[in-house]
Amino acid sequence: MKFLLIRFSPVGDIVLASPLIRSLRKQFPEATIHFLTDDSCRSAVEFNPSIDKLHVLAHSPELMIEELKSEEYDHIIDLQANDKSALVARSLHKKPFSVRRHSFRKKLLTSFKINLLPREHVVEQYFKAVESLDVKIDTVGLEYFIADSEETKKNDIPASHYAGYIACAIGAEYNTKKWPLHKWKEFCAQLDHPIILLGSREDAAAGKEIASADDIKIYNACGKFSLNEMADLTRKAKLVVCNENDSMQIAAAYKRPIVSIWGN
C-alpha cells in the first residue's frame, strides 16, 4: 500500500499532521508513506522517521506531477483541500481523502461573528478525512523532528541566557494575528527573566524595537536562525509566549508551557 499526503503550508498545520502520519505508520507498518509540501516548509517534515520520501513543490509543478505519476499511489490524502492540491489529485487520477475546509462557515464567523464551525480540533479533522480507512488517533500528541546538525549550540545565544529563557514568538501570518508592538515591548520590559525573541527576517525590525527596552535581558533572534534552529530554541525554552503562529504548534509538539495570544 502506498500513501501520498499533501499539505503545502503553513508549517503549523503541517505539524498538526504529525499524529496522522504516525498513526498511518503504526497501523500500516508495511505501507510506503510519501509527503508533498512547499519548498519553504520542507524543514517541518524532512526528518520525520515515519515518512519514506519527501516531495517538494518548488519551481515546476508540471515536473513534480510527472514525478508523482511514476509513484503509482494507492491513496492520496489531501490535507490542504485547495485548488493546488486538488489539481495534484486530478493529475494522478485518484479520488483523494480530503479534509473539509468549512470556508463558508469561517467567513460567517470572521465577518458576522456567527459561529457554526464544528467543535473539532484540526487534528481530529485530519483523521475524519480518512475515517473510511479506520485510522485510529492515539494520545501521543504532536511531534516535530530535527537533525542533530540543526540543533543550536550554547554559544549561539548570549551567556546571560544560558541558565534559561522565555521564548517570545512575535511574528504571525496576518497583522490581525499580531499582538501590537508596543504591547510586546511593555510586556518584555516587565518580565524579570531572560527573553529570546523568535521570528523571521520580516520580524527583525520589530524585534529590534522590542529589545531596545533592555538589550541585555532581551535577545533579538528574529531572522538569525533557520526554522529548525528556532524550533530547537523553542524546545529549550522554559516558557513560550506567542501569537497564533507556527511556534505555537512546535512548542506544543515539544510539550512546552505555552501562552498564546489570539488577537483576531
Side-chain angles (χ1 to χ4, degrees), residues 240-258:
V240 178
V241 183
C242 58
N243 295 315
E244 185 201 348
N245 58 26
D246 298 333
S247 292
M248 183 174 63
Q249 284 88 357
I250 293 172
Y254 287 132
K255 309 295 190 292
R256 295 292 80 208
I258 303 167

Side-chain angles (χ1 to χ4, degrees), residues 13-219:
D13 284 339
I14 292 173
V15 178
L16 291 174
S18 58
L20 177 58
I21 298 169
R22 179 180 62 247
S23 293
L24 285 171
R25 171 57 65 215
K26 286 181 178 178
Q27 291 179 228
F28 302 97
E30 303 302 320
T32 301
I33 300 174
H34 290 191
F35 199 98
L36 172 63
T37 191
D38 278 336
D39 189 40
S40 61
C41 296
R42 67 183 302 160
S43 299
V45 282
E46 63 181 332
F47 300 111
N48 189 319
S50 294
I51 295 174
D52 297 298
K53 187 174 181 179
L54 178 64
H55 298 276
V56 177
L57 188 63
H59 304 297
S60 174
E62 294 80 10
L63 286 176
M64 175 52 63
I65 287 173
E66 289 304 313
E67 178 184 327
L68 294 173
K69 283 181 179 178
S70 67
E71 298 287 355
E72 298 182 349
Y73 295 106
D74 296 296
H75 300 295
I76 296 175
I77 303 174
D78 182 2
L79 303 178
Q80 192 79 43
N82 64 6
D83 292 341
K84 187 163 66 170
S85 60
L87 174 62
V88 172
R90 285 198 305 271
S91 300
L92 299 181
H93 307 293
K94 290 286 183 181
K95 184 177 180 180
F97 299 97
S98 295
V99 68
R100 291 192 64 184
R101 289 177 58 86
H102 303 290
S103 299
F104 178 69
R105 295 183 183 186
K106 288 179 183 177
K107 183 68 175 176
L108 282 177
L109 177 58
T110 57
S111 298
F112 304 105
K113 311 306 179 198
I114 300 172
N115 188 4
L116 299 178
L117 286 168
R119 297 192 175 209
E120 295 173 331
H121 193 280
V122 174
V123 173
E124 294 174 313
Q125 293 174 22
Y126 287 170
F127 275 85
K128 195 169 184 178
V130 295
E131 60 184 351
S132 62
L133 293 174
D134 199 28
V135 182
K136 304 296 185 184
I137 191 169
D138 58 26
T139 58
V140 176
L142 307 182
E143 293 179 301
Y144 194 94
F145 301 93
I146 62 175
D148 293 344
S149 60
E150 295 191 279
E151 293 183 4
T152 55
K153 299 175 177 60
K154 192 174 183 180
N155 59 5
D156 287 335
I157 62 175
S160 55
H161 291 54
Y162 287 175
Y165 56 85
I166 293 172
C168 292
I170 65 173
E173 185 177 2
Y174 303 108
N175 285 330
T176 51
K177 292 186 177 184
K178 292 181 180 179
W179 205 26
L181 182 59
H182 71 279
K183 289 289 189 181
W184 275 115
K185 191 172 181 179
E186 179 184 353
F187 171 71
C188 290
Q190 291 180 16
L191 280 180
D192 187 21
H193 207 82
I195 298 165
I196 292 182
L197 304 178
L198 298 178
S200 66
R201 291 178 183 175
E202 288 74 22
D203 303 310
K208 183 178 180 180
E209 176 64 24
I210 296 167
S212 68
D214 186 337
D215 57 7
I216 294 177
K217 179 180 70 175
I218 307 170
Y219 174 54

